[in-house]
Each structure stands twice: as C-alpha cells, then as structure tokens.
C-alpha cells in the first residue's frame, strides 16, 4: 500500500477543482460571466497542476495518466456526432457569444433540449473565453479535464495500486470515445461512481477527515446533478442507498450526509426554477408516460428489445452474477451500495424506455449504449471494491485463525 499523504494531496487538489467549477457556475448564475468565471477556471487549472504532486502514489498516478491521455485524444479529435454538436457545444457557443448562463432559456432550437443543465456548456464557453476565440476542439477538450477530480477521489477510496489500475482500465473500456467526443454520458458514469465512493466511505473518528468526505460528497453530487438530467436521478439513488448503508452499519441516521445531499441539490433546484420560469418543457415529462407504459407493458416484444439493447455491453452481465453469488459483497458496504444503485438505475432506464413517446427502436438505437454506461461502471467499481477489500482482509483472517 502506498503513502496516504500522496493520495490525500490528490484528493485535496480534487476538492479544490470541484470548488472552482462550482464557483464558476455560481458566478455565471448571478450574471458575473467574464473575469470572475475565467479566474475560477484558472484556479481549477492550478489545482490540476497541484494534483501532480500526488504522482508518487500509484493509485493517483493511474488516474492522472489516463486523463492526460484522454486530453491528448480530445484535442486531436473533432466530433461530428449529433448530441455533442447540437446540444452541448451548441449551448456552449450560445453562452460564449451572448455572455449568459441562461441564453438557452429563450427556447431557440427546441431540438437542442434547452431544459438541460448548462454547467458543462458553461465550462466549455469559459475555456473559449480564456483563449479569446471559439472553436469546437479546445472547449470540448476542456470538459475532459473535469474527469480528473472525480477520478482522484475514486482513487482515494481504493487501497491498492493494482485495483486502481484495473479501475482506470475499466473507465477507458466503459467510457471509450464518449470521454473525448463531447458526449456527457461518460462523465455521468465517472461522477456517479465518485459520488458513491465518497458517500459510503468507512466511518472515521477523525472529524477533519469526516468533514472532508462530506464536502467532497456534496461537491461531487452537485456536479453530478448539473451534468445531465439523469444525474439528478443518480444523485438521489446514491443518497438513498448511502443513507440506508449508514443506518444499517452505524445504527443511526447520518444527518451530516443528509445535509450535504440537500446542499448539493440547491444549484439544480435554482436551475429548474429558471427553466420553469421560462416555461420550458421536456419531451419525456410532457408526454403520457403512464399511458405509453400501460400499452407496452403487456407486450413482450418491447421488453425484449429494451433488455437486449441495455444488455449489449455483455461484459457487465457476469459481474452482476459474481456480485450476487459472492457473499463477501454483503460485508463490503461500497460493493453492496454500488450493486444496489446500478440495479436501481437499470430499472429506471427500463421504465423510461418502456414509456418513451418516441419510436422505441429509434430511441434504443440512438441512446441505449450511452445511457447504460453508469450501470456498467458502477458494477465494475463494486467488483473491484470486493477485490480491494479481500486483498486487505485475507491476511487478518489468516492471522486470526492461526491464533485460534
């Protein structure tokens, strides 16, 4: 096991980056786009440089390494995909040109989902402001940098360098091109795992460490909700499972965790109030979800289509079986929580597709692969947590049996 000091340095740098990102968003929310948001961006870059001091720890070295590789790929790869160009980069360019976080609330270009949160577009627009001109490469690549704080905090939850390495490989395998081409689904998966990792950290007697974990959890949860609409669902699921885990483990209500969750939801609440004030709708929420669900539910064909599409990433199917059959999972809170959140989110996705107002075949073909990324990465994290805990507890168990 490596020095905790190095990992804690990376974690503190990660918290600084998250604070800078949220400060950038807060400045923009109050209309202070320009120098304040650019200073916040520079502060995030400074914290990213600070994280390099943690390279001596193998766990953080893996995370910094893959982000460096992804940044190079993002800078060298323009995107022609619909969602990045017509939603995220389009919203970013509007913020860049009009100088307002709320530019999309005029509902221009309805197809671009103007109700979507604008944290990531704001971040890309701020990057463009900093260099002084707009293009579709650098702003997109700037978003990739925001993987770093989440990955550094995930590294802090792991105990061995080789498990961190396996998780880094899992991120690349699961996220793939979605981490560099302007899609937000890969970011959603990484932040979901990071939020879970901070929410179910082992209890500690050191108040300073407990405070850090709650602050990191609140910041991660806030960013998670502002990436995409689905982020709010994941944040709620993580909070519910984390509270249940703490109640079962500690036999008391984790009020600090509940307060941190409530605080993390405030930026999203403010955004939703702005969306409601602009009288913007959502294609799913405004449709007859119940009616569509009741029509498709008795028919087996839609269910088969949805399951086939969501299970296309076959690598994570045996992971579920492994977790269910491996009894040690239930003695590893993080693994148990990861499994529960993954299964619950899979159920949400299934229900959404079953009630979609769009043509089901088209909807599945254009999104099922992407939206299942959080499920896959959560399950991989759960399996690796089991391995990580087994590596640490097996020697202790052997020593106990020898003494007996």
């Amino acid at each position: 096991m490596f020095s905790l000091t190095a990992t804690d340095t990376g974690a503190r740098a990660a918290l600084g980056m998250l604070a800078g990102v949220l400060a950038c968003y807060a400045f923009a929310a109050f209309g202070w786009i320009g120098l304040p948001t650019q200073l916040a961006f520079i502060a995030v870059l400074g914290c990213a440089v600070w994280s390099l001091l943690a390279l001596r720890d193998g766990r953080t070295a893996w995370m910094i390494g893959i982000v460096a590789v992804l940044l190079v790929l993002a800078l060298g790869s323009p995107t022609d995909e619909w969602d990045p160009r017509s939603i995220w980069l389009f919203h970013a360019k509007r913020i860049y040109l009009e100088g307002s976080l709320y530019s999309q609330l005029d509902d221009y270009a309805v197809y671009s989902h103007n109700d979507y949160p604008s944290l990531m577009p704001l971040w890309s627009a701020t990057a463009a402001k900093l260099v002084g001109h707009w293009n579709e490469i650098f702003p997109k690549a700037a978003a990739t940098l925001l993987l770093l704080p989440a990955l550094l905090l995930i590294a802090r939850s792991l105990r061995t360098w080789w498990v961190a390495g396996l998780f880094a490989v899992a991120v690349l395998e699961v996220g793939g091109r979605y981490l560099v081409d302007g899609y937000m689904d890969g970011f959603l998966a990484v932040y979901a795992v990071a939020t879970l990792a901070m929410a179910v950290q082992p209890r500690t007697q050191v108040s300073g460490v407990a405070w850090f974990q709650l602050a990191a959890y609140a910041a991660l949860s806030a960013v998670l909700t502002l990436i995409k609409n689905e982020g709010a669902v994941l944040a709620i699921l993580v909070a519910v499972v984390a509270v249940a885990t703490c109640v079962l483990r500690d036999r008391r209500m984790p009020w600090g965790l509940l307060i941190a969750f409530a605080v993390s939801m405030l930026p999203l609440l403010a955004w939703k109030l702005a969306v409601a004030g602009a009288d913007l709708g959502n294609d799913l929420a405004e449709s007859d979800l119940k009616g569509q669900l009741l029509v498709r539910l008795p028919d087996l064909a839609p269910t088969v289509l949805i399951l086939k599409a969501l299970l296309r990433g076959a690598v994570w199917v045996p992971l579920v079986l492994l977790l269910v059959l491996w009894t040690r999972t239930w003695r590893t809170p993080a693994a148990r929580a990861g499994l529960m959140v993954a299964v619950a989110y899979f159920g949400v996705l299934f229900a959404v597709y079953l009630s979609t107002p769009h043509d089901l075949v088209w909807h599945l073909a254009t999104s099922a692969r992407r939206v299942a990324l959080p499920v896959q990465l959560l399950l991989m994290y759960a399996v690796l947590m089991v391995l990580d805990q087994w590596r640490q507890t097996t020697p202790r168990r052997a020593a106990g049996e020898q003494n007996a």
Side-chain angles (χ1 to χ4, degrees):
M1 186 159 50
F2 288 80
S3 167
L4 288 177
T5 303
T7 307
D8 287 345
T9 298
R12 292 189 186 98
L15 185 56
M17 291 184 71
L18 292 170
V21 171
L22 292 173
C24 180
Y25 184 81
F27 290 145
F30 285 103
W32 303 331
I33 286 186
L35 183 60
T37 54
Q38 292 175 42
L39 289 176
F41 190 100
I42 293 171
V44 172
L45 294 180
C47 289
V49 174
W50 179 24
S51 71
L52 297 179
L53 297 176
L55 277 172
R56 65 183 184 274
D57 186 295
R59 293 164 291 176
T60 55
W62 276 107
M63 307 308 175
I64 294 173
I66 65 170
V67 171
V69 171
L70 290 171
L71 279 171
V72 172
L73 294 175
L75 286 168
S77 58
T79 182
D80 58 358
E81 298 287 345
W82 173 263
D83 277 22
R85 290 181 59 85
S86 302
I87 300 178
W88 308 111
L89 286 174
F90 179 64
H91 291 171
K93 189 171 184 178
R94 292 202 64 190
I95 294 173
Y96 170 80
L97 293 174
E98 299 178 30
S100 172
L101 179 71
Y102 308 106
S103 59
Q104 68 201 57
L105 297 188
D106 61 3
D107 209 21
Y108 173 74
V110 179
Y111 60 80
S112 66
H113 296 281
N114 289 311
D115 64 298
Y116 279 10
S118 55
L119 171 65
M120 300 301 280
L122 169 68
W123 183 254
S124 296
T126 305
K129 284 285 187 182
L130 199 62
V131 298
H133 65 276
W134 174 265
N135 63 58
E136 295 189 0
I137 301 295
F138 182 71
K140 173 177 69 72
T144 302
L145 179 65
L146 295 190
L147 290 169
L148 183 58
L151 289 172
L152 288 174
L153 290 168
I154 292 171
R156 189 176 185 267
S157 72
L158 303 172
R159 297 187 178 185
T160 51
W161 68 269
W162 62 274
V163 171
L166 289 175
F167 182 78
V169 172
V171 170
L172 296 177
E173 173 64 25
V174 171
R177 65 186 180 89
Y178 295 118
L179 299 173
V180 298
D181 62 1
Y183 277 104
M184 294 295 108
D185 304 273
F187 295 85
L188 201 69
V190 172
Y191 270 86
V193 172
T195 304
L196 177 76
M198 289 297 101
V200 296
Q201 281 283 295
R203 58 180 179 268
T204 177
Q205 301 299 322
V206 183
S207 59
V209 177
W211 174 88
F212 177 89
Q213 289 174 190
L214 289 175
Y217 163 71
L220 286 165
S221 182
V223 173
L224 176 62
T225 64
L226 294 172
I227 294 176
K228 288 185 70 178
N229 284 340
E230 295 94 320
V233 177
L234 281 164
I236 292 171
L237 291 176
V238 169
V240 169
V241 170
V243 168
T245 298
C246 291
V247 169
L248 292 174
R249 182 183 62 190
D250 301 337
R251 298 292 188 271
R252 62 181 178 82
M253 184 62 68
W255 295 110
L257 189 65
L258 287 171
I259 293 172
F261 169 71
V263 170
S264 75
M265 298 297 287
L266 292 178
L268 179 66
L269 177 62
W271 173 256
K272 290 301 182 183
L273 289 174
V275 168
D279 199 25
L280 295 186
N282 180 278
D283 57 344
L284 290 177
E286 292 185 338
S287 65
D288 182 14
L289 297 178
K290 181 180 178 181
Q292 288 145 189
L293 182 65
L294 292 176
V295 168
R296 291 193 179 104
L297 196 56
D299 188 358
L300 185 60
T303 296
V304 172
L305 282 174
I306 295 169
L307 291 177
K308 184 178 179 180
L310 291 178
L311 296 174
R312 191 172 299 164
V315 66
W316 63 268
V317 177
L319 297 183
V320 178
L321 299 176
L322 177 62
L323 284 170
V324 171
L325 295 175
W326 201 340
T327 57
R328 182 179 294 275
T329 299
W330 309 110
R331 296 195 295 272
T332 307
R336 182 175 65 240
L339 174 60
M340 294 173 67
V341 173
V343 171
Y345 190 60
F346 183 89
V348 170
L349 294 177
F350 179 82
V352 168
Y353 280 118
L354 204 59
S355 59
T356 179
H358 305 295
D359 177 74
L360 181 58
V361 174
W362 172 84
H363 200 176
L364 288 170
T366 56
S367 63
R369 169 69 180 90
R370 294 184 289 107
V371 300
L373 298 185
V375 176
Q376 297 177 34
L377 198 61
L378 282 163
L379 289 173
M380 289 186 175
Y381 177 75
V383 170
L384 292 175
M385 283 300 295
V386 171
L387 294 176
D388 196 47
Q389 295 294 320
W390 175 82
R391 180 77 176 181
Q392 296 298 317
T393 59
T394 297
R396 299 176 189 172
R397 177 182 294 181
E401 291 175 352
Q402 186 176 5
N403 292 334

